[in-house]
């Protein structure tokens, strides 16, 4: 971007503050360094610090914008407590004495929340606009616009004032972005106006498309074909690309000499495209091999002002395609609600006041020029009435959902990255609400509640007044106003298991504390997480602070949630959830639960939990994020499919021969570098320690790896054992020569550059890139990543080696230069008879031959030459476990990978990018996390039960979002697949949720078999438990006769030779059985047998 075209007049030079990569580690993989720096030079003004306002503030402060000015002098009320996690019931009547006078003055919402918001990020300045004394202070609010990058309003203001503030933003020198958002009960709205010409540097945040060149033909225009085994090129006509490391075509596509830096493409197929204007017909040879990278081009987006969009919203963004007609209706309803507020001191209807709700409906009818209320009057009017009735309620899940969306829009305004919402966006979760109000409409003609009775019915009148009336002092007033006291009590009494206390876990705890989950006498939340808090967690896992680093996440999260709501009953664990902890999380544990919520970061753990919830028939709330993308899945027993019913295909592994000899992508070289790290600094140390501590070490080695293991021990313990740091430097220099020069020269000796295959094609072609040795040069800096890989490798390798042997390291360059000058590097001589696998088949064959051809006597000879463990009493190495967040580890892996990449002419990467690939880091940002947890908590409302409504599968919603585009789609879950069985002549379509439940006590095997004969008309021919067969028609008759008299638990213990844990209540059996009448085999679900 140039200084003339950047948004908000923030010159690039102003965004030069150093980025704290430790803190923003995961976020930088979403936003990038340039966008992060622009955010760090931006200021946001936030008007309104109720539930939605504090959510937005939290998200943008965690993200690291420069400063946030809070403006909200209004006193807190009980509705605020439903969504504001930094307000408490004590704040509703707290008085503070100001230092400059003796008058008692209660603090407003902004002042009450400022200090705790400021604690979220030490780099962000958080202040309060104390000059604004009221949200009706037009002059004060308009003055806030000056100097702001973005103004965000999250409380109701008059339409005229909103228009004036929007106009001021558009007309200000800084071109301030304007956002207006509201959370009202189960409905919400967002409006964005970023000006007439807002520059978007990256519209979708996706990584640029990359491909490898197979060839570029000598034609006019030049035609490019990419390697098909690397996938489609992913380009569109009009895209621009760059080339690198292209071999051939007379260097036509090499940079420099006045050649264009980018090329436009014209797509001709999924693997081919032309380069218009590039004439390659005079080139002497086609290009073979090279890399293509898509260039992201900035786009300018125009917006309409609030006044204009309010009158004619145009096309509205969808969130649920099952409600395609909902956005225009909500636009009308919010206009009516604003009109109502403007005539009632900017207050929305009181919960239970049906007359006020009807007044909003009448206003909507008057504004309905499009006749939206006439299309489907019962549904449309119901939506307007529900919006009005719950409009004062501030619900935490809605604030989280909208706070994630609005927070990301603020970051777009500050950074210019990703596509903003253009105009209005509407969201609702009305599936949580009753289908329609009660229908008894006979008024008495004398009651002040006739209007209420006319809408909701006589019998409901008193219930409405009692059940939804706010107390004015309770945190739960908002929930009660929407769902009633009975629903709130159900939330208080919930017993839930939250697995994971990371980013999603923290947000979930916050939402649950505000909702009142497990805050009653009968309720309890169990939370487990094995991990401890690291600095990189603090930019997303907002319950943690610097003081909590190294503490267990579950304990710190539980403590923070209890501080938000002291009534929350929460028990933290530090245990992994899996088969090996079923003594803790077993039958008796799950038997007391109402549901499970996963906040996990791996599929394997999710699949295990999925099997648990299937077995215990518990609902499961599942969610996950990947940068700006998020997904939610609600799993309901017998209604929806389970999590594991559909799975993504497994990731493809990199072939061994590709890693060892034929890499062609940076991913290959990074994996190779990681593997080398593990072998050299971890495995070798562990092997030596095992040899020294275990007298029977050699006997325990596997045959196919015994030789390599003992040779490695001899190298580490004898041949290459250092006694000083200088020895470590010499070792590192010799390793450099071996890895990046000698091995490559040996490879070229076996497969010369001009070698052809038996079919006559060049051996070094396609995905096989011909390597070249790297000559050591301490001053060398690679072209792509601009890193001193030669020097970095020596420093990192020497220090890791020293740490492993307990030798003190050092990093001063002068020392390394001095030592390296005296290192004698042996000349290379190619070895004859060395077999190098040319493909995966040869690699497997070589592995088998190595395992089978090992000389046992040679192994014994090496072992006998090693020093005896007794001679090295007390000696022990320090094996090093790779940690992507440790800079010295990543310095080695990055340098090692880049040197390997230089061998094969693969573009290199810097440490930041290498960390993401080698560490398999999942990009993450607080906004997406807040959004998905909000969506999933809305499903919890449905799980506890919607008053006067039986929920079907259509009411539940799975979600997928991408805040970068922006895109949201909610859809009903998939029903579980069925299996057809015929039992006693009747068809039974059973699903994964079904089992044959037996709660008859610990009966004998004979009684068990008889039960299926009498109850199901089935002849049981086999019973298994796990991998053990308990009963079969072909088994030993004597043993069967003995087992028939045993209780089922005794049979299991007898066959498996294992005692059943005391907390186990159930046994699972699989049956093979035939219908007694038809003799047909009947496919049955498992038997869930309760024996205790």
């Amino acid at each position: 971007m140039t200084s003339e075209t950047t948004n908000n007049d923030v010159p690039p030079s102003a965004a030069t503050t150093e980025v704290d990569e430790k803190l923003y580690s995961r976020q930088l993989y979403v936003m990038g360094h340039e966008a992060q720096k622009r955010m760090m030079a931006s200021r946001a003004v936030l008007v309104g610090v109720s539930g939605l306002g504090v959510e937005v503030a939290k998200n943008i402060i965690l993200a690291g914008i420069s400063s946030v000015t809070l403006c909200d002098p209004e006193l807190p009320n009980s509705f605020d407590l439903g969504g504001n996690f930094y307000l408490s019931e004590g704040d509703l009547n707290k008085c503070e004495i100001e230092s400059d006078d003796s008058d008692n003055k209660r603090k407003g919402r902004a002042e009450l929340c400022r200090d705790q918001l400021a604690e979220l990020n030490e780099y962000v300045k958080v202040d309060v606009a104390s000059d604004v004394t009221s949200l009706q202070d037009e002059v004060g609010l308009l003055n806030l616009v000056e100097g702001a990058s973005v103004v965000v309003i999250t409380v109701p203001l008059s339409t005229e004032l909103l228009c004036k503030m929007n106009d001021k933003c558009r007309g200000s020198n800084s071109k301030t972005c304007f956002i207006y958002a509201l959370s009202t009960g189960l409905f919400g709205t967002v409006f964005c106006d970023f000006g007439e010409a807002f520059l978007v540097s990256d519209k979708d945040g996706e990584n640029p498309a990359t491909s490898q060149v197979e060839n570029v033909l000598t034609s006019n225009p030049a035609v490019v074909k990419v390697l098909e085994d690397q996938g489609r090129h992913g380009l569109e006509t009009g895209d621009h690309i760059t080339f690198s490391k292209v071999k051939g075509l007379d260097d036509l596509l090499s940079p420099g000499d006045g050649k264009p830096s980018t090329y436009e493409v014209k797509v001709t197929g999924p693997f081919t495209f032309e380069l218009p204007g590039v004439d390659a017909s005079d080139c002497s040879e086609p290009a073979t091999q090279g890399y293509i990278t898509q260039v992201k081009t900035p786009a300018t987006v125009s917006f309409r002002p609030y006044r204009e969009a309010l009158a004619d919203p145009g096309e509205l963004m969808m969130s649920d395609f099952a409600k395609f007609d909902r956005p225009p209706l909500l636009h009308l309803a919010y206009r009516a609600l604003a009109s109502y507020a403007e005539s009632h001191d900017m207050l929305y209807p009181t919960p239970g006041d049906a007359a006020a709700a009807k007044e909003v409906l009448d206003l909507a009818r008057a504004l309905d020029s499009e006749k939206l209320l006439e299309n489907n009057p019962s549904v449309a009017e119901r939506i307007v009435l529900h919006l009005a009735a719950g409009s004062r309620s501030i619900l935490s899940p809605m604030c989280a959902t909208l706070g994630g969306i609005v927070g990301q829009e603020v970051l777009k305004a500050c950074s210019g990255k990703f596509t903003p919402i253009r105009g209005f966006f509407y969201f609702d979760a009305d599936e949580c609400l009753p289908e329609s109000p009660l229908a008894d409409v006979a008024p008495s003609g004398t009651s002040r509640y006739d209007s209420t009775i006319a809408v909701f019915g006589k019998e409901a009148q008193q219930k409405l007044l009692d059940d939804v009336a706010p107390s004015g002092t309770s945190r739960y007033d908002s929930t009660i106003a929407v769902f009633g006291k009975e629903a709130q009590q159900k939330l208080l009494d919930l017993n839930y298991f939250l697995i994971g206390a990371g980013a999603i876990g923290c947000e979930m705890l916050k939402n649950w504390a505000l909702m009142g989950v497990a805050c009653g006498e009968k309720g309890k939340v169990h939370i487990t997480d094995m991990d401890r808090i690291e600095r990189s967690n603090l930019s997303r896992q907002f319950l943690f602070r610097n003081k909590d680093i190294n503490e267990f996440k579950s304990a710190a999260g539980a403590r923070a949630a209890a501080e938000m709501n002291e009534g929350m009953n929460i028990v933290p664990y530090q245990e992994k959830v899996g088969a090996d902890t079923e003594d803790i999380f077993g039958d008796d544990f799950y038997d007391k639960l109402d549901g499970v919520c996963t906040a996990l970061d791996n599929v394997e753990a999710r699949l295990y939990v999925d099997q648990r919830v299937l077995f215990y028939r518990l609902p499961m709330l599942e969610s996950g994020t990947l940068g700006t993308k998020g997904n939610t899945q609600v799993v309901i027993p017998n209604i929806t499919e389970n999590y594991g019913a559909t799975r993504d295909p497994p990731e493809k592994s990199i072939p061994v021969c590709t890693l060892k000899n034929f890499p062609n992508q940076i991913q290959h070289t990074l994996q190779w570098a990681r593997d080398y790290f593990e072998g050299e600094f971890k495995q070798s140390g562990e092997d030596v320690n095992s040899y020294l501590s275990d007298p029977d070490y050699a006997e325990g080695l596997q045959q196919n790896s015994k030789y390599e293991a003992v040779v490695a021990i001899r190298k580490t313990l004898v041949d290459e054992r250092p006694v000083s740091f200088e020895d470590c430097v010499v070792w590192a220099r010799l390793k450099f020569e071996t890895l990046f020069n000698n091995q490559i020269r040996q490879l070229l000796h076996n497969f010369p550059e001009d070698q052809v295959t038996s079919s006559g094609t060049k051996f070094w072609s396609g995905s096989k890139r011909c390597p070249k040795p790297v000559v050591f040069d301490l001053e060398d800096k690679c072209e792509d990543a601009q890193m001193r890989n030669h020097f970095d490798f020596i420093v990192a390798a020497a220090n890791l080696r020293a740490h492993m042997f307990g030798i003190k390291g050092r990093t001063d360059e002068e020392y390394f230069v001095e030592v390296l000058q005296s290192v004698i590097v042996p000349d290379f001589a190619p070895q004859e008879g060395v077999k190098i696998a040319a493909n995966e088949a040869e690699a497997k064959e070589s592995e088998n031959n190595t395992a089978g051809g090992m000389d046992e006597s040679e192994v014994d000879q090496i072992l006998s030459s090693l020093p005896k463990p007794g001679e090295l009493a007390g000696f022990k190495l320090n094996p090093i476990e790779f940690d992507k967040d440790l800079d010295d580890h990543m310095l080695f892996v990055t340098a090692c990978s880049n040197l390997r990449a230089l061998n094969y002419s693969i573009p290199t990467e810097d440490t930041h990018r290498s960390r993401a690939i080698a560490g398999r880091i999942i990009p993450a940002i607080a906004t997406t996390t807040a959004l998905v947890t909000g969506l999933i908590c809305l499903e919890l409302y449905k799980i506890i039960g919607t008053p006067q409504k039986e929920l079907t599968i259509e009411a539940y919603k799975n979600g997928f979002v991408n805040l970068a585009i922006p895109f949201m789609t909610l859809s009903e879950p998939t029903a579980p697949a069925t299996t057809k069985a015929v039992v006693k002549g009747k068809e039974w379509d059973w699903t994964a949720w079904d089992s044959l439940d037996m709660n008859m006590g610990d009966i004998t095997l004979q009684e068990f078999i008889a039960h299926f004969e009498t109850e199901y008309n089935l002849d049981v021919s086999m019973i298994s438990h796990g991998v053990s067969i308990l009963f079969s028609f072909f088994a030993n008759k004597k043993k069967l006769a003995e087992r028939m008299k045993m209780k089922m638990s005794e049979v299991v213990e007898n066959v498996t030779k294992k005692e059943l844990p005391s907390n186990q209540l159930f046994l699972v059996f699989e049956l093979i059985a035939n219908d007694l009448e038809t003799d047909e085999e009947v496919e049955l679900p498992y038997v869930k047998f309760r024996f205790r």
Side-chain angles (χ1 to χ4, degrees):
M1 295 184 192
T2 63
S3 59
E4 288 78 14
T5 57
T6 50
N7 304 311
N8 307 323
D9 286 356
V10 179
S13 59
T16 56
T17 307
E18 192 69 27
V19 176
D20 187 338
E21 291 193 357
K22 293 290 186 184
L23 178 62
Y24 299 122
S25 168
R26 306 309 186 257
Q27 180 176 295
L28 285 171
Y29 296 113
V30 182
M31 300 301 296
H33 282 75
E34 284 307 310
Q36 184 68 41
K37 288 179 179 179
R38 291 187 59 76
M39 285 159 47
M40 292 165 63
S42 300
R43 171 175 169 260
V45 171
L46 182 61
V47 180
V49 193
S50 184
L52 177 55
V54 79
E55 274 283 349
V56 174
K58 174 203 61 167
N59 292 335
I60 63 177
I61 291 170
L62 289 172
I65 71 170
S66 176
S67 66
V68 178
T69 297
L70 307 175
C71 176
D72 193 342
E74 300 299 316
L75 301 177
N77 59 63
S78 62
F79 293 116
D80 295 325
L81 304 185
N84 189 314
F85 39 87
Y86 289 147
L87 292 177
S88 67
E89 291 171 347
D91 291 321
L92 301 182
N93 53 18
K94 186 184 292 182
C95 289
E96 298 290 343
I97 299 177
E98 300 294 294
S99 58
D100 57 345
D101 59 58
S102 59
D103 295 329
N104 285 346
K105 183 179 179 181
R106 290 176 59 189
K107 289 185 176 181
R109 292 182 294 214
E111 199 172 350
L112 286 168
C113 298
R114 192 209 76 84
D115 290 348
Q116 293 183 82
L117 285 169
E119 287 180 0
L120 291 173
N121 194 330
E122 62 190 283
Y123 296 112
V124 181
K125 178 185 177 183
V126 183
D127 57 18
V128 174
S130 54
D131 292 341
V132 181
T133 57
S134 166
L135 290 179
Q136 282 75 47
D137 180 1
E138 182 176 309
V139 174
L141 290 173
L142 288 172
N143 286 338
L144 292 175
V145 174
E146 291 299 330
S149 307
V150 57
V151 170
V152 188
I153 302 166
T154 63
V155 287
L157 298 182
S158 70
T159 301
E160 189 56 33
L161 180 52
L162 288 169
C163 291
K164 287 182 179 180
M165 292 192 71
N166 180 222
D167 292 341
K168 180 76 177 289
C169 289
R170 280 184 152 249
S172 65
N173 293 330
S174 60
K175 301 296 182 187
T176 303
C177 296
F178 176 86
I179 300 174
Y180 179 47
L182 295 173
S183 177
T184 51
L186 289 168
F187 301 83
T189 176
V190 179
F191 173 80
C192 295
D193 173 15
F194 292 2
E196 294 179 3
F198 182 80
L199 188 69
V200 176
S201 61
D202 181 350
K203 62 184 180 182
D204 57 16
E206 298 294 332
N207 288 326
T210 58
S211 299
Q212 292 186 46
V213 173
E214 180 174 319
N215 58 59
V216 183
L217 301 180
T218 54
S219 58
N220 184 16
V223 176
V224 181
K225 186 177 188 300
V226 302
L227 285 171
E228 294 190 15
D229 60 1
Q230 304 293 329
R232 300 174 176 227
H233 54 59
L235 299 171
E236 298 177 0
T237 296
D239 282 350
H240 286 75
I241 61 171
T242 60
F243 287 93
S244 63
K245 315 291 185 184
V246 175
K247 183 179 179 182
L249 212 67
D250 299 346
D251 293 331
L252 179 67
L253 299 178
S254 299
D257 299 329
K259 298 170 189 170
S261 57
T262 66
Y263 297 86
E264 187 178 346
V265 307
K266 179 184 178 183
V267 173
T268 56
F271 304 103
T272 58
F273 56 84
E274 295 177 350
L275 300 176
V278 177
D279 184 358
S281 59
D282 293 333
C283 295
S284 61
E285 61 175 352
T288 58
Q289 301 186 330
Y291 294 89
I292 300 163
T293 304
Q294 180 190 25
V295 176
K296 290 293 190 79
T297 54
T300 301
V301 182
S302 62
F303 294 78
R304 295 190 299 157
Y306 183 72
R307 191 188 310 273
E308 184 180 319
L310 192 63
D312 178 15
E315 185 176 353
L316 295 167
M317 176 180 160
M318 296 291 297
S319 62
D320 187 342
F321 288 96
K323 306 175 185 176
F324 67 92
D325 56 350
R326 186 63 54 80
L329 176 62
L330 289 177
H331 185 75
L332 171 67
Y334 268 102
R335 286 180 64 199
L337 188 63
S339 180
Y340 173 91
E342 286 168 11
S343 59
H344 292 80
D345 297 323
M346 291 310 299
L347 294 174
Y348 288 153
T350 302
D353 189 346
K358 187 175 183 301
E359 185 178 340
V360 174
L361 178 59
D362 290 339
L363 288 167
R365 289 190 181 114
L367 293 167
D368 188 15
S369 58
E370 301 292 324
K371 307 300 181 186
L372 298 173
L373 294 170
E374 296 179 8
N375 293 336
N376 191 346
S378 60
V379 173
E381 291 182 5
R382 166 184 170 273
I383 294 298
V384 176
L385 288 171
H386 275 312
L387 169 61
S391 54
R392 285 202 190 183
S393 294
I394 308 296
L395 299 175
S396 178
M398 285 295 294
C399 292
T401 300
L402 294 165
I405 295 170
V406 176
Q408 192 65 54
E409 295 306 302
V410 174
L411 301 186
K412 293 173 187 178
C414 295
S415 68
K417 185 162 185 177
F418 306 139
T419 304
I421 295 172
R422 294 180 66 189
F424 283 98
F425 166 71
Y426 292 98
F427 176 80
D428 72 85
D430 80 291
E431 306 86 10
C432 301
L433 296 166
E435 286 296 341
S436 59
L438 299 178
D440 183 0
V441 295
S444 67
T446 58
S447 171
R448 62 178 291 195
Y449 300 120
D450 273 354
S451 296
T452 309
I453 293 170
V455 178
F456 293 99
K458 292 178 180 178
E459 295 181 6
Q461 175 55 54
Q462 192 57 47
K463 176 177 171 54
L464 277 172
L465 292 175
D466 294 341
D467 200 40
V468 304
S471 67
T473 58
S474 171
R475 177 177 291 282
Y476 310 125
D477 275 356
S478 286
T479 306
I480 290 170
V482 175
F483 298 104
K485 292 178 181 176
E486 183 180 343
Q488 180 61 62
Q489 190 60 50
K490 288 181 180 178
L491 288 169
L492 293 169
D493 292 341
L494 281 177
N495 284 271
Y496 252 74
F497 188 20
L498 177 56
I499 307 172
I504 288 177
C506 284
E507 291 286 338
M508 205 68 70
L509 285 177
K510 174 259 298 177
N511 290 342
W512 287 3
L514 300 186
M515 294 164 69
V517 171
C519 296
E521 292 182 3
K522 299 178 182 178
K524 186 170 288 186
V525 168
H526 303 266
I527 180 170
T528 188
D529 197 309
M530 299 169 61
D531 292 344
R532 293 179 182 269
I533 298 163
E534 300 173 355
R535 181 165 173 78
S536 64
N537 301 145
L538 303 184
S539 67
R540 306 173 327 282
Q541 302 172 20
F542 89 106
L543 294 184
F544 308 142
R545 303 289 180 271
N546 277 310
K547 62 181 175 61
D548 300 320
I549 290 174
N550 290 325
E551 188 175 350
F552 280 111
K553 290 182 178 181
S554 57
R559 184 175 62 248
E563 288 173 359
M564 289 180 179
N565 189 332
E566 60 185 17
M568 194 174 201
N569 303 308
I570 184 165
V571 181
Y573 304 80
Q574 290 82 43
E575 307 294 336
K576 178 183 178 181
V577 177
D580 53 348
T581 55
E582 288 181 3
D583 58 324
I584 302 170
F585 308 120
D587 290 344
D588 56 340
F589 176 81
Y590 284 98
D591 202 41
K592 300 180 180 70
L593 295 180
D594 296 306
V596 175
C597 179
T598 56
L600 294 160
D601 60 1
N602 69 88
V603 173
E604 181 184 355
R606 286 182 170 105
L607 290 173
Y608 172 81
V609 176
D610 178 58
Q611 290 303 305
R612 296 290 84 196
V613 300
L614 271 176
F615 184 77
Y616 299 107
R617 297 191 186 97
L618 293 170
M620 182 169 86
L621 302 172
E622 155 63 20
S623 56
T625 69
L626 179 67
T628 58
K629 299 171 184 173
N631 67 278
T632 63
Q633 181 179 356
V634 57
V635 176
I636 307 295
N638 303 312
I639 295 178
T640 73
E641 69 176 7
N642 58 301
Y643 170 80
T646 53
R647 304 185 192 181
D648 294 329
E651 290 185 18
K652 290 183 179 179
S653 59
I654 304 170
V656 174
C657 66
T658 300
L659 281 178
K660 290 183 71 173
N661 298 308
F662 308 114
N664 54 69
Q665 300 176 36
I666 197 67
Q667 288 85 349
H668 300 161
T669 64
L670 279 164
Q671 184 62 54
W672 180 84
R674 265 207 64 173
D675 292 346
Y676 186 81
F677 184 105
E678 294 285 341
E680 195 65 68
F681 302 117
K682 179 175 179 284
Q683 191 63 52
S684 63
E686 290 177 345
D687 287 347
V688 167
N689 289 344
S690 296
Y691 166 75
L692 294 175
S693 61
D694 183 1
D696 301 320
Y697 170 74
E699 284 71 17
L701 290 173
Q702 295 182 0
Q703 283 297 113
N704 62 349
S705 62
K706 181 178 281 191
Y707 179 77
E708 288 83 358
V710 296
V711 168
I713 290 174
R714 184 174 64 184
K715 279 187 177 182
T716 307
L717 200 55
V718 180
D719 301 344
E720 299 175 355
R721 180 180 172 184
V723 295
S724 66
F725 186 67
E726 183 176 335
D727 292 340
C728 297
V729 177
V730 173
W731 174 87
R733 173 64 184 91
L734 296 178
K735 281 297 177 185
F736 180 102
E737 200 70 15
T738 299
L739 295 172
F740 310 115
N741 190 294
N742 295 353
Q743 288 183 3
I744 299 302
R745 292 167 73 176
Q746 181 67 50
L747 181 62
L748 289 171
H749 176 74
N750 283 45
F751 303 111
E753 186 174 1
D754 57 357
Q755 178 156 327
V756 294
T757 66
S758 57
S759 62
T761 59
K762 287 186 176 181
F763 180 84
W764 295 106
S765 62
S767 60
K768 283 189 171 74
R769 304 181 62 78
C770 186
K772 61 179 184 296
V774 171
V775 178
F776 183 75
D777 178 1
L778 204 60
E779 300 300 323
D780 183 81
K781 185 179 286 188
C782 64
E783 180 182 350
D784 302 301
Q786 290 294 298
M787 294 191 65
R788 294 181 63 190
N789 298 299
H790 299 230
F791 176 70
D792 292 344
F793 177 87
I794 300 296
V795 172
N799 278 278
L800 288 167
R801 182 78 168 174
H803 177 77
M804 196 167 80
F805 282 88
I807 299 170
K808 185 178 180 181
R810 55 194 297 181
T811 59
D812 46 311
E813 185 169 348
E814 297 81 5
Y815 172 80
F816 282 88
V817 171
E818 181 182 345
V819 173
L820 289 169
Q821 286 175 346
S822 61
V823 176
I824 300 173
V825 179
D827 292 334
F828 170 75
Q831 299 180 37
E832 300 299 335
V834 175
K835 176 69 174 175
I836 297 177
N839 52 52
E840 195 67 5
E842 290 185 12
K844 289 182 179 178
E845 182 183 349
S846 175
E847 183 181 343
N848 294 334
N849 292 339
T850 301
M854 185 191 69
D855 188 345
E856 192 71 37
S857 63
E858 189 175 354
V859 172
D860 292 338
Q861 185 179 353
I862 295 172
L863 284 170
S864 64
S865 70
L866 296 176
K868 300 297 181 283
E871 299 172 13
L872 296 170
F875 179 78
K876 186 179 180 181
L877 294 185
N878 304 310
I880 304 171
E881 184 91 38
F882 173 75
D883 186 339
K884 62 184 178 296
D885 291 317
L886 293 180
D887 289 343
D888 55 341
H889 293 196
M890 276 312 306
L891 183 67
F892 175 85
V893 168
T894 303
C896 192
S897 167
N898 282 344
L899 288 165
R900 179 84 163 167
L902 290 169
N903 281 141
Y904 288 88
S905 298
I906 298 169
T908 55
E909 291 286 0
D910 62 17
T911 305
H912 177 70
R913 179 67 182 146
S914 297
R915 193 191 306 272
I917 299 171
R920 298 179 180 90
I921 290 176
I922 299 173
I925 192 167
T927 50
T928 316
T929 307
L931 169 55
V932 298
T933 54
L935 289 176
I936 210 68
C937 284
L938 289 172
E939 299 305 305
L940 185 56
Y941 285 138
K942 302 170 189 176
I943 289 172
I944 65 164
T946 294
Q948 306 151 35
K949 179 178 177 181
E950 187 69 31
L951 293 185
T952 59
I953 193 169
E954 293 83 7
Y956 297 97
K957 298 291 180 181
N958 289 343
F960 175 77
V961 300
N962 186 348
L963 289 173
I965 303 178
F967 174 80
M968 175 187 287
T969 179
L970 303 177
S971 58
E972 69 179 67
T974 303
T978 60
T979 301
K980 191 179 293 294
V982 178
V983 179
K984 298 183 77 170
K986 294 182 179 179
E987 287 191 355
W988 177 29
D989 290 329
W990 57 272
T991 74
W993 290 104
D994 289 308
S995 60
L996 296 170
D997 295 353
M998 295 182 66
N999 193 7
M1000 304 168 61
D1002 200 3
I1003 59 177
T1004 65
L1005 176 59
Q1006 185 171 347
E1007 291 170 327
F1008 182 92
I1009 294 171
H1011 172 76
F1012 282 90
E1013 184 174 338
T1014 56
E1015 288 296 316
Y1016 299 102
N1017 201 39
L1018 294 174
D1019 176 26
V1020 177
S1021 57
M1022 184 180 291
I1023 304 171
S1024 60
H1025 172 73
V1027 296
S1028 302
I1029 297 176
L1030 309 182
F1031 168 84
S1032 68
F1033 67 92
F1034 53 78
N1036 182 284
K1037 303 299 181 186
K1038 184 179 179 182
K1039 283 188 176 181
L1040 279 185
E1042 293 173 358
R1043 290 177 188 172
M1044 283 292 187
K1045 300 174 184 178
M1046 293 182 184
K1047 293 181 178 180
M1048 293 301 290
S1049 63
E1050 293 173 349
V1051 175
V1052 170
E1053 290 181 330
N1054 178 266
V1055 175
T1056 63
K1057 309 301 183 189
K1058 293 179 181 178
E1059 187 177 342
L1060 295 173
S1062 59
N1063 69 334
Q1064 186 169 340
L1065 306 178
F1066 298 95
L1067 291 168
V1068 174
F1069 302 119
E1070 300 281 352
L1071 304 185
I1072 295 178
N1074 292 58
D1075 188 283
L1076 283 170
E1077 293 181 4
T1078 65
D1079 201 33
E1080 294 286 330
E1081 184 176 330
V1082 180
E1083 193 170 355
L1084 297 168
Y1086 66 88
V1087 177
K1088 185 178 180 181
F1089 180 83
R1090 182 155 190 160
F1091 68 102
R1092 286 183 177 139

